[in-house]
Amino acid sequence: MSPTRPQVPARSSSKNTAVAINPFDCVLQLVGRILASNRKYPCILGTDVASYIVEIGADVKRFKIGDRVFGSAAGIDKNVNNASECGFQLYTVMREYIISPTPSHITDEQACGKRVISVTGGSSSVGSNAVQLAVSAGYRVISTSSPKNFEYVKKLGVSQVFDYNSKMIVGDMLDALNGFELVGAYAIGKGAVEVCTELMMPHDAKGTKKRIALAGAIIPAEQLVSFWGQMSFFIFMVGNLVKSSIQQYRSDWG
């Protein structure tokens, strides 16, 4: 166990089983000297953790040793400034009022992060790399492939994988996103842009910009340098947005 854990009555010590990369952690890489001037390099970062309690202070009433919990690690806060309360380590001191019990029906990874990225074509060479990078970054990932490649894609770390030939693919993927925040999509393969667009349209990303990254060109690169090639690309994208909006309107109003 960490030798830095203080014996504070209103706090508990937890062994982390999953951590997430919060958007704030990314911002710290760019402007950390401004937002966290109290932290000096080298330092421990990390704010979102899922864990189980291994030690509790005398004043902790809501939890007991062995409980699965998730919540926010407060160590970076200027009013705290305590490395033992940061998330990116094996043991973290947690404050009782900013952790909650982890529901029994979800994994620690799900409790730790609710931000999802969709990667179509997860069994392709590019898709396989995209899936692994997204999973390593702490995102929950959903993907598509042919049924024969389902097991391979699951081994890469995706939470759910769907048959890209299914007529119900958009509806099934939207069901899987229920309760999660879709923050981006990576389109690989024929028809992937349309699927990703329809997934993004119904979601309010709560301030996160919606982005679809496209692997490969739906219009040959040599055509995109011309005026008419660029116009064709623009018309194609606008057409997809209009089509998705109409479909969403119909589904909302029956």
Side-chain angles (χ1 to χ4, degrees):
M1 296 185 181
S2 170
T4 63
R5 292 205 315 273
Q7 301 298 316
V8 180
R11 300 173 198 172
S12 62
S13 296
S14 300
K15 185 174 183 179
N16 296 329
T17 51
V19 297
I21 299 178
N22 188 288
F24 181 68
D25 297 316
C26 299
V27 172
L28 283 177
Q29 305 300 311
L30 301 175
V31 291
R33 292 183 179 180
I34 299 174
L35 296 180
S37 57
N38 56 301
R39 306 297 292 168
K40 304 301 181 183
Y41 181 85
C43 65
I44 300 173
L45 303 177
T47 54
D48 295 340
V49 302
S51 56
Y52 63 89
I53 294 176
V54 296
E55 185 178 330
I56 57 174
D59 292 342
V60 175
K61 305 300 182 185
R62 297 172 56 215
F63 304 101
K64 63 182 183 300
I65 293 175
D67 282 352
R68 294 174 62 222
V69 296
F70 70 100
S72 179
I76 297 176
D77 189 291
K78 292 183 178 180
N79 295 319
V80 177
N81 198 25
N82 188 344
S84 68
E85 296 189 54
C86 293
F88 293 163
Q89 54 188 334
L90 186 57
Y91 293 91
T92 299
V93 174
M94 302 293 289
R95 301 183 177 224
E96 183 178 20
Y97 61 88
I98 49 176
I99 58 175
S100 298
T102 302
S104 59
H105 67 280
I106 68 173
T107 66
D108 290 339
E109 290 79 4
Q110 291 172 324
C112 190
K114 299 187 72 174
R115 296 164 64 83
V116 183
I117 290 178
S118 169
V119 179
T120 58
S123 62
S124 66
S125 57
V126 176
S128 296
N129 279 278
V131 166
Q132 293 176 83
L133 288 171
V135 170
S136 297
Y139 291 98
R140 177 183 174 91
V141 180
I142 61 174
S143 187
T144 65
S145 76
S146 61
K148 68 179 182 181
N149 289 320
F150 277 5
E151 289 305 313
Y152 167 71
V153 178
K154 289 179 181 178
K155 288 180 181 178
L156 298 177
V158 303
S159 299
Q160 290 180 262
V161 58
F162 303 88
D163 182 357
Y164 62 76
N165 285 318
S166 172
K167 294 181 179 179
M168 303 297 295
I169 184 172
V170 173
D172 291 342
M173 294 180 79
L174 286 173
D175 287 342
L177 289 169
N178 186 36
F180 294 90
E181 180 186 357
L182 180 63
V183 297
Y186 194 44
I188 304 171
K190 183 179 180 181
V193 172
E194 292 87 341
V195 171
C196 291
T197 302
E198 291 187 47
L199 288 179
M200 298 297 278
M201 289 294 290
H203 282 267
D204 176 11
K206 300 177 182 178
T208 301
K209 294 181 179 179
K210 299 178 181 181
R211 290 287 185 266
I212 298 177
L214 178 63
I218 48 181
I219 295 177
E222 60 272 14
Q223 293 184 21
L224 286 174
V225 298
S226 69
F227 171 79
W228 290 113
Q230 294 172 5
M231 286 299 296
S232 298
F233 181 78
F234 176 77
I235 293 171
F236 175 85
M237 296 302 295
V238 171
N240 275 324
L241 289 172
V242 171
K243 177 182 176 182
S244 297
S245 298
I246 293 173
Q247 290 176 340
Q248 182 63 33
Y249 177 84
R250 287 175 175 173
S251 64
D252 289 342
W253 295 97

